[in-house]
Amino acid sequence: DREHVKFPYLLRDKNITRANEVWCSDITYVPMAQGNAFLCVVMDWYSRKVLGWAVSNTMDVALCLTALARALKAAGGVLPEIFNTDQGSQFTGKEWISELQKQGIQISMDGGGRWMDNVFIERLWRSLKYEKLRLWSYQTISELRGLTADWIEFYNHRRKHQTHGYNTPWSVYQEAMSQ
């Protein structure tokens, strides 16, 4: 859509040193017996904690706004300074942009076709798909939500990350928030 706005990538050579400095979001599809479902996640870039997520049978901005609202609630009203996404229509449209601008959040977007600009969420997709989604067959959206919730709980609270000295995303985020 020509009315959709694209923003520059603000994270090149930026050293992210604390929680809520940068959040990122993306959408992936999940094959189902009858069609596809779509999963949107909002992640804290520093801790890698999944702050909010949503599943839907449609890939529209409402899916993304639901994940964002859940992330804002989980963060206890703390806002990120910068929010990074790709240039998908859900993230370049008026509804998404105005919601971030209303909150005073700087908007950053990956370069066209630059999956490496949002590498942490791309790694999350790989882990989720190989560790959970490709191992199960989903008949309903409700079933997919339940299994996704189980995996995200595992990822946030029990999966250790080498980057953070083998601490979990949750513990890294909690420690950063208490300082």
Side-chain angles (χ1 to χ4, degrees), residues 34-49:
Q34 300 291 322
N36 293 315
F38 302 94
L39 170 62
C40 180
V41 166
V42 174
M43 173 190 279
D44 176 64
W45 191 295
Y46 174 75
S47 66
R48 316 293 198 274
K49 180 182 179 192

Side-chain angles (χ1 to χ4, degrees), residues 19-23 68 72 75-82 100 102-105:
N20 301 315
E21 187 174 358
V22 176
W23 288 2
L68 175 61
L72 291 169
V78 177
L79 300 172
E81 294 173 24
I82 300 171
L100 294 182
K102 180 175 74 176
Q103 302 285 350
I105 300 168

Side-chain angles (χ1 to χ4, degrees), residues 46-115:
Y46 174 75
S47 66
R48 316 293 198 274
K49 180 182 179 192
V50 173
L51 297 168
W53 60 277
V55 173
S56 177
N57 63 349
T58 59
M59 189 172 72
D60 60 11
V61 70
L63 169 68
C64 303
L65 290 171
T66 299
L68 175 61
R70 291 175 179 166
L72 291 169
K73 183 177 180 181
V78 177
L79 300 172
E81 294 173 24
I82 300 171
F83 204 113
N84 189 68
T85 65
D86 61 21
Q87 295 181 16
S89 62
Q90 301 83 357
F91 301 119
T92 59
K94 290 179 185 177
E95 289 180 78
W96 178 265
I97 298 297
S98 66
E99 183 61 31
L100 294 182
Q101 288 176 332
K102 180 175 74 176
Q103 302 285 350
I105 300 168
Q106 294 179 68
I107 301 169
S108 172
M109 292 184 176
D110 302 348
R114 297 255 326 149
W115 65 270

Side-chain angles (χ1 to χ4, degrees), residues 15-22 43-50 120 123 155-156 159-176:
N15 188 23
I16 309 305
T17 60
R18 62 188 186 289
N20 301 315
E21 187 174 358
V22 176
M43 173 190 279
D44 176 64
W45 191 295
Y46 174 75
S47 66
R48 316 293 198 274
K49 180 182 179 192
V50 173
F120 300 126
R123 287 180 182 167
Y155 172 86
N156 276 341
R159 186 161 195 220
K160 298 174 193 250
H161 288 238
Q162 182 179 5
T163 300
H164 292 300
Y166 295 97
N167 290 303
T168 64
W170 182 86
S171 65
V172 171
Y173 188 82
Q174 291 304 113
E175 182 179 330

